[in-house]
Amino acid sequence: VGPDYIIGPGDQFTLTLWGTTEGIYALQVTNEGKVTLPKVGVISVAGVRFSELEKTLKRHLSKYYANFNLSVAMGGLKTVTIYVVGEVAKPGSYSLSSLTTVYGALFAAGGPTKQGTLRTIQVLRSGKVIKTVDLYDFLLKGDRSQDIRLQNEDTVFVPLIGPIVGVAGMVYRPAIYELKGGETID
């Protein structure tokens, strides 16, 4: 995971201690967002960024131990529930890794159908559109800049396809293309 990954219920990590105290502890974040450490007790870690996790644990452990070092390694990651709806091959609710992105969710749902848009896929969070994704840059150039990480209970909505144009003959990519905005045949 990256430094901005947010720890939450279901995440697992290994805490390794060495120095005046030693040990390797496999910890899982409870549904309440807490882990239990020997001698220290219960520590709340939900909402902590991975980059801050070592500091948070060290602060609590320092109350009981001196002259020690620690490291944290992520293990199993929590799952999130993502809804993929609209014009996709297999619409529904998916339990996916907390690292899943829009492209991963679309792949899990079998991708847009022939009636589904590739140009205006919406990511909804708490009922509001937070991102509109155009897959053409990804499909034609491999550009993943529009791909975003999804959060629990996000919805990926694939609307009906917009206006289309067929291009055939002596061109590099003869196909049926979906127009977006003010695009013309040119």
Side-chain angles (χ1 to χ4, degrees):
V1 299
D4 289 337
Y5 180 79
I6 304 293
I7 304 297
D11 280 331
Q12 299 172 5
F13 57 89
T14 302
L15 172 64
T16 305
L17 299 171
W18 68 95
T20 56
T21 184
E22 295 181 351
I24 298 174
Y25 304 96
L27 304 171
Q28 180 165 353
V29 182
T30 65
N31 288 338
E32 293 78 33
K34 300 175 181 182
V35 293
T36 303
L37 293 176
K39 194 172 182 179
V40 175
V42 177
I43 299 173
S44 180
V45 293
V48 174
R49 293 185 187 282
F50 180 68
S51 61
E52 299 293 318
L53 185 58
E54 281 189 19
K55 290 180 200 170
T56 301
L57 295 172
K58 190 162 192 160
R59 187 175 69 247
H60 287 281
L61 287 161
S62 294
K63 296 175 186 173
Y64 300 93
Y65 303 105
N67 301 321
F68 70 94
N69 293 302
L70 65 86
S71 72
V72 176
M74 287 303 294
L77 302 178
K78 64 185 175 274
T79 58
V80 292
T81 300
I82 305 297
Y83 303 95
V84 185
V85 296
E87 300 300 320
V88 291
K90 298 179 284 187
S93 169
Y94 291 86
S95 292
L96 303 168
S97 160
S98 56
L99 297 178
T100 297
T101 63
V102 176
Y103 296 170
L106 286 169
F107 182 79
T113 63
K114 287 183 178 184
Q115 294 81 27
T117 184
L118 295 176
R119 309 288 316 260
T120 56
I121 296 169
Q122 299 173 350
V123 178
L124 296 99
R125 185 171 295 151
S126 301
K128 296 184 174 123
V129 176
I130 61 155
K131 179 81 172 172
T132 300
V133 177
D134 184 341
L135 288 179
Y136 272 26
D137 286 339
F138 175 61
L139 296 173
L140 298 174
K141 301 176 198 166
D143 178 2
R144 293 182 44 199
S145 62
Q146 294 186 59
D147 200 12
I148 62 169
R149 187 174 297 165
L150 298 172
Q151 295 180 10
N152 193 45
E153 300 288 316
D154 278 356
T155 299
V156 177
F157 173 61
V158 179
L160 286 167
I161 194 168
I164 57 174
V165 61
V167 180
M170 300 296 289
V171 294
Y172 286 116
R173 287 192 174 113
I176 296 174
Y177 292 94
E178 182 178 2
L179 300 177
K180 180 179 177 187
E183 291 178 332
T184 66
I185 192 68
D186 291 337

